[in-house]
Amino acid sequence: MNQIQPDILVIDDKPDNLRVLFSLLHRHDYNVREALNWQTTVDMCKTKLPDLILLDIMMPDIDGYEICHQLKKWQLTADIPIIFISALNDVFDKVKAFNSGCVDYISKPFAFEEVLARINNHLELRRAKMEILQLNTELENRVKKRTQDLENALKELQNSVNIRQELQTKLLNIVLHDSLTGLPNRVLFIRKLEKALQQAKEESSYKFAVLFLDCDRFKVINDSLGHLVGDELLVAIARRLQASLSPFDTLSRLGGDEFGIILENITDINSAIILAEEILQKLSIAFKLSRYEVFMNASIGINWGSRDYEKPEYLLRDADTAMYRAKALGRARYHVFDPIMYQEAIKLLQLENDLRRAVERQEFLVFYQPIVSLSTGKITALEALVRWQHPTRGLVSPIEFIPASEEIGLINQINLWVLQTACETISTWYEQKLLDDSLCISVNLSARLFSQRDLISQIDSIIEQTKINPIYLKIEITESVIMGNSIAIKNILYQLKERKINLIMDDFGTGYSSLSYLHSFPFNSLKIDKTFVKRMQENQENMGLVPAMIGIAHSMGMTAIAEGVETPEQLAQLRNLNCDYAQGYLFSRPLPQELIIDLISSSPQW
Ligand code: C2E
Ligand code: MG
Ligand code: MG
């Protein structure tokens, strides 16, 4: 009720009554309107809704009860407080009045104060009611708005959760896939392998196999044609592999040039073998890249998905081991894993660990084997041969540990230590006059050392420290060193030659070096491998290749040393062939330093 003057509608059929109430109320600042019957009441209410209605009961057409009833039924007026003013004073009338919906009942004749007080009360009540109503509406609106706000906030949250989830899926996709080929990466591959393994453990009918594929000599492509071509090739390989698989199989790029395959729902290992053969066949066809046509083979290791495996990593490891065996057997082929290979791999790993420890603890020894001049029959040189004094296995042969130490990068340390020790020992013996000072020391150097940039300066510093005269130092290298015929190697060899160090080509005949370029390296001697010396006896008439080898050495201005001489017959034959030097068990096995010095001091002659 926002009007200052409350609006009161008085309904009475008697104009006198109306007049009385009108003048009384008007005096008290009420806005009063009058209606004589139902029709005018309706019109009045339509024009403006009153704040309160004073209603007479007894009226000619429609009585007060009916009017009250109608007003209460009418939505527009239902809330307007109605007070009856009537001469009827019976309880029955009052009850009927209240039943028809009035809020109060004033009996005539009335005291005007009472009328005023009741009117005020009900106006007040109505005001309070309206206020509550308004407050309620406001509250409702506020609740509605809050609900809407909350709904909006929820929607926004849901949106950002969706975006985040999408992003997460994208990220997960990136994390679990190889960016170059789009294939699952190692992490995802291991997960899938784990699933397959789990399924195999649960369902005896479910069988699977793992294939580990490594490209053969991929590095050559990268090094010669560049990484972009390498990448292009990897994508092409991935496509060819995918084309050989069913949609149920998993192909993954495990890293570099390695791929993994999980072959599911197969009946036996033959399915894996057939697939490997198909892959090898497909890979053997040239790859037509954007600028080059290249050939790329691969080696494949196959492992049966046995349910006995504890972890998927072990399954993959064994497929990897089988792949290595395929490479060792000549590449471009497959190999099926068998557990013995695992034992061998473990042994190799153990050997590598032991070797690292051996280097730290200096568990190596140098043995010496005499080299005899066939013209004088006397010892002219010693070959230093390394031994490993293993804490539990005793003396270990270099044949067993040199290749492994080359593989794991320990050869430089071990080999330079041998060189240093041999030079030191021989130099001390010269000083102590235990040796004739023309006796030479021959040391084997691994091909790996030649890729070390500071090899020459290392050798220089050993020479300087041990005070050995380099003319008594011989270095033995195998054919593999010169096989690349590289300028860098040639350069190193010439620098050694400049220092007057003797160069011996060891194991001559076992490699593939070409005689035409052997000529361009500054070797002093060829050491004929023991296998040829051995065959000399089997092949009495022409003595195999040995005469030719001695001939080659001499024709190139080099001396010939025969290795592995075990019998007096061999010695005699070599002498006949004018071989210059010989070495072998016939003279002496390689001996530790105390024993070799004893042997030398006994001045043997053969
Ligand atoms: P190598 O340089 O050809 O050494 C000769 C090998 O033949 C030695 O084996 C020696 O004991 C063996 N031998 C000598 N005379 C006879 C014989 O009459 N009959 C038979 N059957 N064998 C004989 P070892 O000491 O086991 O060394 C094997 C190989 O290990 C060496 O072959 C050499 O290639 C390598 N090696 C040894 N010490 C070193 C080293 O300090 N550095 C490097 N890089 N390699 C080494
Ligand atoms: Mg040697
Ligand atoms: Mg040899």
Side-chain angles (χ1 to χ4, degrees):
M1 280 183 298
N2 33 17
Q3 70 259 56
I4 303 143
Q5 272 191 316
D7 186 85
I8 295 177
L9 178 66
V10 186
I11 309 169
D12 203 322
D13 59 324
K14 296 189 184 73
D16 290 348
N17 289 351
L18 286 174
R19 217 167 301 125
V20 174
L21 278 167
F22 179 89
S23 63
L24 283 171
L25 291 170
H26 198 70
R27 247 185 281 143
H28 283 87
D29 280 344
Y30 289 103
N31 185 34
V32 188
R33 289 182 293 152
E34 303 149 337
L36 288 165
N37 51 30
W38 169 242
Q39 195 45 56
T40 40
T41 305
V42 171
D43 293 343
M44 295 262 177
C45 287
K46 276 184 183 163
T47 319
K48 185 187 174 198
L49 278 180
D51 296 314
L52 190 136
I53 294 172
L54 291 176
L55 180 58
D56 183 26
I57 292 179
M58 286 183 299
M59 284 192 288
D61 300 330
I62 303 175
D63 68 7
Y65 300 129
E66 188 50 33
I67 290 179
C68 183
H69 189 69
Q70 289 302 332
L71 286 172
K72 287 294 145 189
K73 245 171 58 184
W74 192 14
Q75 204 195 349
L76 204 64
T77 52
D79 285 338
I80 301 171
I82 299 172
I83 302 174
F84 276 110
I85 300 189
S86 177
L88 300 174
N89 214 3
D90 205 77
V91 175
F92 171 79
D93 298 308
K94 289 182 184 168
V95 169
K96 197 175 172 190
F98 279 111
N99 280 345
S100 67
C102 77
V103 291
D104 214 345
Y105 195 102
I106 302 169
S107 308
K108 282 184 192 167
F110 51 73
F112 186 65
E113 286 72 23
E114 185 191 343
V115 175
L116 263 189
R118 284 185 193 252
I119 285 175
N120 276 340
N121 263 352
H122 285 292
L123 282 176
E124 207 51 54
L125 252 171
R126 177 167 156 78
R127 203 183 349 252
K129 226 172 159 184
M130 295 301 273
E131 231 166 70
I132 287 171
L133 210 70
Q134 196 173 342
L135 282 177
N136 263 346
T137 322
E138 261 170 37
L139 198 69
E140 244 167 53
N141 284 344
R142 270 161 78 177
V143 169
K144 249 186 225 162
K145 190 171 176 306
R146 264 323 257 282
T147 314
Q148 189 60 45
D149 285 354
L150 272 176
E151 266 169 18
N152 289 346
L154 205 69
K155 244 185 227 165
E156 252 171 53
L157 198 73
Q158 190 59 48
N159 267 353
S160 76
V161 167
N162 287 350
I163 291 172
R164 209 169 269 218
Q165 251 163 7
E166 247 169 60
L167 204 72
Q168 214 169 3
T169 319
K170 262 188 208 160
L171 272 177
L172 208 64
N173 221 31
I174 292 172
V175 170
L176 294 178
H177 288 84
D178 165 47
S179 59
L180 179 66
T181 58
L183 292 176
N185 63 13
R186 185 180 282 263
V187 180
L188 187 54
F189 188 75
I190 291 284
R191 279 192 198 171
K192 296 207 169 197
L193 207 52
E194 189 164 26
K195 255 198 196 157
L197 186 57
Q198 194 55 38
Q199 195 173 344
K201 283 180 198 281
E202 285 162 9
E203 294 168 35
S204 59
S205 62
Y206 174 82
K207 310 235 181 304
F208 72 103
V210 185
L211 282 79
F212 195 114
L213 184 146
D214 187 284
C215 299
D216 294 335
R217 301 196 178 91
F218 189 82
K219 199 175 168 310
V220 176
I221 299 282
N222 262 349
D223 291 352
S224 56
L225 303 179
H227 284 265
L228 283 180
V229 177
D231 284 356
E232 201 186 343
L233 179 58
L234 282 173
V235 173
I237 291 172
R239 271 206 217 110
R240 263 191 212 178
L241 291 176
Q242 194 82 71
S244 308
L245 301 176
S246 86
F248 307 107
D249 305 324
T250 302
L251 171 66
S252 153
R253 183 175 170 217
L254 300 172
D257 58 349
E258 295 171 346
F259 293 88
I261 296 167
I262 307 173
L263 204 57
E264 294 190 68
N265 287 312
I266 51 174
T267 46
D268 56 33
I269 195 77
N270 281 332
S271 319
I273 291 176
I274 291 167
L275 174 69
E277 280 169 349
E278 189 189 322
I279 289 175
L280 290 172
Q281 200 274 327
K282 277 194 179 151
L283 290 183
S284 68
I285 302 162
F287 286 90
K288 290 195 174 70
L289 306 180
S290 53
R291 290 177 55 206
Y292 300 93
E293 190 175 287
V294 294
F295 285 90
M296 178 51 59
N297 275 320
S299 302
I300 304 175
I302 303 173
N303 192 16
W304 181 243
S306 159
R307 55 208 294 202
D308 298 336
Y309 275 99
E310 252 177 63
K311 289 182 169 184
E313 286 88 349
Y314 298 161
L315 252 161
L316 188 61
R317 173 203 63 198
D318 289 349
D320 189 10
T321 307
M323 183 278 293
Y324 266 101
R325 181 53 59 93
K327 278 212 194 285
L329 291 172
R331 301 187 160 102
R333 59 198 298 156
Y334 67 85
H335 197 83
V336 181
F337 176 78
D338 83 79
I340 293 168
M341 283 159 54
Y342 175 62
Q343 297 305 328
E344 281 171 15
I346 288 283
K347 246 171 93 181
L348 188 66
L349 199 71
Q350 181 68 42
L351 178 70
E352 288 179 5
N353 281 340
D354 286 1
L355 262 177
R356 287 184 207 282
R357 199 201 45 209
V359 170
E360 267 170 36
R361 299 190 189 169
Q362 304 205 325
E363 290 173 355
F364 299 101
L365 291 174
V366 180
F367 273 37
Y368 299 89
Q369 188 180 34
I371 297 170
V372 174
S373 155
L374 294 189
S375 54
T376 64
K378 290 188 174 174
I379 299 174
T380 61
L382 299 175
E383 179 175 3
L385 293 160
V386 68
R387 299 287 179 266
W388 176 11
Q389 180 74 61
H390 192 281
T392 54
R393 295 171 55 195
L395 278 189
V396 181
S397 152
I399 298 172
E400 204 179 318
F401 69 85
I402 293 278
S405 54
E406 284 177 338
E407 191 81 4
I408 58 177
L410 286 175
I411 188 65
N412 290 2
Q413 286 181 61
I414 297 173
N415 217 154
L416 289 172
W417 176 85
V418 173
L419 180 64
Q420 164 111 21
T421 309
C423 292
E424 237 165 48
T425 310
I426 204 104
S427 188
T428 329
W429 287 341
Y430 290 147
E431 262 173 38
Q432 297 170 351
K433 305 265 181 271
L434 293 171
L435 292 184
D436 197 27
D437 58 10
S438 63
L439 200 112
C440 300
I441 181 81
S442 200
V443 181
N444 297 282
L445 288 191
S446 156
R448 295 286 164 117
L449 262 76
F450 286 80
S451 52
Q452 201 180 317
R453 275 165 179 247
D454 57 351
L455 178 65
I456 291 293
S457 65
Q458 301 245 36
I459 292 176
D460 279 344
S461 82
I462 289 174
I463 291 172
E464 202 186 319
Q465 273 177 40
T466 59
K467 299 191 187 67
I468 191 163
N469 184 344
I471 58 164
Y472 300 127
L473 178 59
K474 295 171 190 262
I475 282 178
E476 299 190 9
I477 50 183
T478 56
E479 282 167 289
S480 57
V481 176
I482 60 160
M483 228 129 87
N485 193 19
S486 87
I487 296 169
I489 301 287
K490 208 174 276 180
N491 200 8
I492 295 177
L493 293 181
Y494 274 99
Q495 288 188 56
L496 293 173
K497 172 116 186 147
E498 261 171 38
R499 287 160 176 74
K500 306 234 158 37
I501 296 172
N502 244 263
L503 298 175
I504 302 175
M505 162 150 294
D506 202 354
D507 304 342
F508 180 61
T510 57
Y512 301 93
S513 60
S514 143
L515 289 179
S516 62
Y517 66 77
L518 179 62
H519 192 69
S520 61
F521 290 93
F523 284 104
N524 301 89
S525 314
L526 293 184
K527 207 185 229 194
I528 301 163
D529 191 70
K530 46 185 169 290
T531 50
F532 299 99
V533 175
K534 199 171 182 183
R535 266 184 243 151
M536 204 166 55
Q537 249 173 322
E538 295 162 7
N539 207 338
Q540 289 286 352
E541 307 91 66
N542 59 10
M543 286 178 284
L545 291 172
V546 175
M549 288 172 156
I550 296 171
I552 288 166
H554 288 164
S555 71
M556 288 187 177
M558 296 186 263
T559 55
I561 309 167
E563 198 185 58
V565 180
E566 295 183 355
T567 64
E569 291 78 22
Q570 286 168 338
L571 173 62
Q573 283 165 335
L574 289 163
R575 269 207 166 108
N576 271 340
L577 291 168
N578 274 332
C579 185
D580 306 275
Y581 303 98
Q583 175 183 5
Y585 295 167
L586 175 68
F587 312 108
S588 163
R589 287 180 175 261
L591 296 172
Q593 60 177 69
E594 326 75 73
L595 295 184
I596 195 74
I597 208 74
D598 285 352
L599 177 72
I600 293 168
S601 49
S602 71
S603 306
Q605 195 173 12
W606 290 274

